[in-house]
Amino acid sequence: MALKLFNTLSRSVQDFVPLDPAGKKVGMYCCGPTVYDFAHIGNWRTFVFGDLVRRYLEFKGYEVNHIMNVTDVEDKIIKRVRENKTTLREFTAKFEAAFLEDLKTLGCREPHQKPHATDFMPDIIALIEKLIARGIAYKAADGSVYFSIEKYRGCGCTYGQLVKLNFDEMRVGERVKSDDYAKESVADFALWKARVPDDGEVFWASPWGEGRPGWHIECSAMSMKILGTSFDLHLGGEDLMFPHHEDEIAQSEGAAVQEPGQRFVKYWLHGAHLLVEGKKMSKSLGNFFTLRDLLAKGFTGREVRYLLLTSHYRETFNFTLDGLNGARQSLARIDECLGKLCELSGATTAEADTQLVDEFTAGLDSDLNIAGAWGAVFEWVRDTNRRLTENALTPAQAAAALAAWDKINSVLGISAAAESEAPAELLALLEERQAARKAKDFKRSDAIRDELKAKGWIIEDTPKGPKLKKL
Ligand code: AMP
Ligand code: ZN
């Protein structure tokens, strides 16, 4: 069955058909973290959702080029750099390192590239120059460069593709310099922000004087430079729909760099927000959790990942500590079943059972209906446990069941306890190596093998697939 995804652009569920004429390669850009603090559990919901999309596409046989940017210059960062009396690089490096560590703890596959906005200044400037040349961007008296909504619309382009906007209430010529604004205040937004004293040492030279880019143009420039002017998938949390993604479309399509008839992005996917105990997370309510806060309470990355993967990505998810305890119990049920299957199968190998894989796939093909996929998993656990109790399984059947589990676990990324002796980040690397081998990227797979070895682990091929063994 074909994979179907809800495209925010068409507001409908569509068949996923990559732009690649061979139907194999997929370009996917996920808006990454703004590295001014530790990522919170809401952010992690969105990043784990991105990981699910990538893993499922790889499971379906696509060669995914997964790009996740690191926003290392924008309003909030500059404010914190000023408050902490530090430098931009020093400040962002700390939170980026923490982010990457957490990403591994949560068993997410590492993106193939993690571009930094500060390394793309020439591309950002070139894109703004294109918009100026087309008359869609202009320099204002304060030296900043703005995107003209009126001129863009005058070129026959639509502003308001992801969200509906009421232009009757819009006052032409108004400008907004901040990256964040509500859709009720649609205005010309900043592409380049002229240097002001508060920026301190954070500025770059440009044809319009010293300054820094707006947040939205960073993602347009980086995504198109790496994935091409038209690519398949662009992901983020629902709050990024407006203005960030709307402005990305306007900048990228306003520059008219696409082939005729092509869009900037074919499918836009947005994950719904996470609430904690039914409320929006906030430090003052005491319901604000980073991953580190949860690890300190004794939970594991695997448990958090499992919980974040239990709900459909387009539904608001209510995160609770009780839910995490429930995740622990559910994982224990899965682990117990897998442990018994391992014992019974011994060294026997077998082709994977198709039923579990088929039902799991049917769920996820339908706009990543994870509830359906989990339903298949727990039905399988129940049925397997029953057959184990009745001694109705042969070692070959147990091996076939385990092989089926391995297949679906390549999507879920919640390896069983027996394999979890190696830290989650190493298991994620092992999985990435499998994916690289599948994609015939032997350079990458060898590099991962060497990295694992350097960390004291060797890969051992077993009848149930590769495992990590301590040197
Ligand atoms: P930021 O680091 O603020 O740029 O956010 C990183 C990602 O987290 C973006 O895709 C946001 O849309 C997403 N995000 C922010 N808050 C939440 C939340 N409460 N639930 C889910 N995703 C969120
Ligand atoms: Zn972005």
Side-chain angles (χ1 to χ4, degrees):
M1 202 172 91
L3 169 61
K4 291 181 191 316
L5 295 169
F6 183 88
N7 187 354
T8 315
L9 202 54
S10 63
R11 294 169 184 80
S12 65
V13 176
Q14 294 180 316
D15 282 347
F16 176 71
V17 183
L19 291 166
D20 174 20
K24 186 97 186 131
K25 294 197 166 112
V26 173
M28 165 168 147
Y29 186 92
C30 300
C31 285
T34 306
V35 280
Y36 71 103
D37 210 336
F38 296 106
H40 58 63
I41 194 68
N43 301 135
W44 286 117
R45 179 185 194 199
T46 297
F47 296 125
V48 168
F49 153 58
D51 184 61
L52 173 71
V53 176
R54 167 180 169 179
R55 281 172 177 266
Y56 194 56
L57 289 167
E58 287 178 342
F59 170 88
K60 300 277 291 178
Y62 294 110
E63 267 172 45
V64 183
N65 191 7
H66 176 197
I67 312 300
M68 181 191 280
N69 72 297
V70 177
T71 304
D72 61 349
V73 54
E74 62 76 80
D75 299 348
K76 293 190 287 285
I77 296 179
I78 292 181
K79 186 165 172 276
R80 294 274 176 102
V81 167
R82 202 169 57 238
E83 286 165 0
N84 287 278
K85 298 191 174 43
T86 173
T87 63
L88 187 78
R89 289 247 173 239
E90 202 181 351
F91 182 75
T92 56
K94 173 180 157 195
F95 291 111
E96 179 176 343
F99 176 82
L100 295 178
E101 205 181 300
D102 290 358
L103 194 72
K104 285 184 179 167
T105 305
L106 285 170
C108 294
R109 286 187 181 156
E110 190 159 342
H112 298 100
Q113 284 187 53
K114 298 181 288 289
H116 293 70
T118 52
D119 293 330
F120 282 72
M121 282 308 150
D123 305 284
I124 293 170
I125 289 171
L127 187 56
I128 299 175
E129 280 181 321
K130 276 201 183 85
L131 290 166
I132 293 179
R134 293 200 76 222
I136 291 176
Y138 62 93
K139 185 175 171 181
D142 70 343
S144 298
V145 179
Y146 288 90
F147 183 95
S148 165
I149 307 267
E150 195 193 4
K151 292 279 166 47
Y152 176 67
R153 295 181 75 208
C155 291
C157 294
T158 306
Y159 188 74
Q161 298 191 27
L162 299 173
V163 289
K164 287 205 166 47
L165 297 170
N166 185 353
F167 286 96
D168 296 339
E169 286 176 8
M170 179 186 144
R171 276 167 298 201
V172 173
E174 283 211 2
R175 292 181 199 131
V176 54
K177 199 167 175 188
S178 154
D179 292 325
D180 254 335
Y181 51 94
K183 65 177 191 235
E184 288 67 35
S185 50
V186 168
D188 291 1
F189 59 89
L191 299 169
W192 187 261
K193 304 182 186 194
R195 186 181 177 193
V196 292
D198 272 353
D199 290 344
E201 292 308 302
V202 183
F203 67 91
W204 287 263
S206 84
W208 318 286
E210 289 170 346
R212 62 189 173 92
W215 172 39
H216 318 305
I217 197 81
E218 296 174 1
C219 277
S220 282
M222 287 186 280
S223 61
M224 291 201 292
K225 176 78 187 258
I226 299 172
L227 292 173
T229 50
S230 294
F231 56 93
D232 299 291
L233 286 157
H234 198 128
L235 274 71
E238 60 186 356
D239 58 307
L240 297 193
M241 251 183 245
F242 188 89
H244 188 53
H245 288 165
E246 196 65 53
D247 289 352
E248 273 191 52
I249 296 178
Q251 297 158 152
S252 309
E253 296 188 353
V257 286
Q258 287 74 27
E259 296 289 322
Q262 292 289 349
R263 311 295 307 265
F264 163 47
V265 171
K266 193 167 177 190
Y267 302 94
W268 286 90
L269 267 54
H270 290 102
H273 266 196
L274 171 146
L275 301 175
V276 174
E277 311 282 352
K279 297 198 180 71
K280 195 174 165 185
M281 233 185 308
S282 89
K283 289 198 170 145
S284 59
L285 283 178
N287 67 351
F288 185 98
F289 294 118
T290 63
L291 178 64
R292 281 137 202 265
D293 295 332
L294 299 172
L295 299 180
K297 287 183 186 296
F299 294 106
T300 63
R302 181 178 178 234
E303 287 160 356
V304 177
R305 178 182 176 88
Y306 172 89
L307 185 59
L308 293 178
L309 280 176
T310 50
S311 65
H312 189 259
Y313 75 97
R314 284 196 290 123
E315 280 166 17
T316 304
F317 178 60
N318 189 23
F319 178 91
T320 62
L321 292 177
D322 273 354
L324 262 184
N325 285 317
R328 180 169 288 175
Q329 284 167 15
S330 302
L331 284 169
R333 275 184 65 206
I334 295 175
D335 291 348
E336 195 190 339
C337 176
L338 294 174
K340 285 185 197 152
L341 285 174
C342 269
E343 229 171 81
L344 177 58
S345 67
T348 319
T349 56
E351 286 284 307
D353 264 345
T354 51
Q355 192 182 345
L356 171 64
V357 180
D358 288 351
E359 287 176 14
F360 180 83
T361 311
L364 289 186
D365 271 347
S366 168
D367 190 28
L368 303 172
N369 174 6
I370 197 95
W374 283 120
V377 169
F378 283 103
E379 183 61 41
W380 174 81
V381 169
R382 232 184 331 271
D383 189 50
T384 306
N385 279 338
R386 186 182 48 75
R387 292 166 73 195
L388 282 163
T389 317
E390 291 168 359
N391 287 324
L393 280 182
T394 63
Q397 285 170 323
L402 280 174
W405 168 260
D406 280 347
K407 279 196 174 182
I408 67 163
N409 188 52
S410 74
V411 179
L412 297 172
I414 48 155
S415 336
E419 295 166 42
S420 302
E421 286 159 29
E425 76 231 43
L426 300 188
L427 293 172
L429 267 180
L430 179 66
E431 276 188 36
E432 202 191 317
R433 176 173 175 268
Q434 285 305 94
R437 280 167 66 111
K438 212 169 140 198
K440 303 214 176 351
D441 183 354
F442 297 114
K443 208 168 138 212
R444 178 77 190 128
S445 77
D446 287 351
I448 294 176
R449 186 200 52 211
D450 295 344
E451 190 182 336
L452 286 166
K453 201 163 171 200
K455 289 184 168 144
W457 295 81
I458 50 163
I459 300 167
E460 202 181 51
D461 283 312
T462 76
K464 291 183 207 78
K467 299 270 180 301
L468 284 181
K469 209 174 134 200
K470 211 144 181 57
L471 270 174

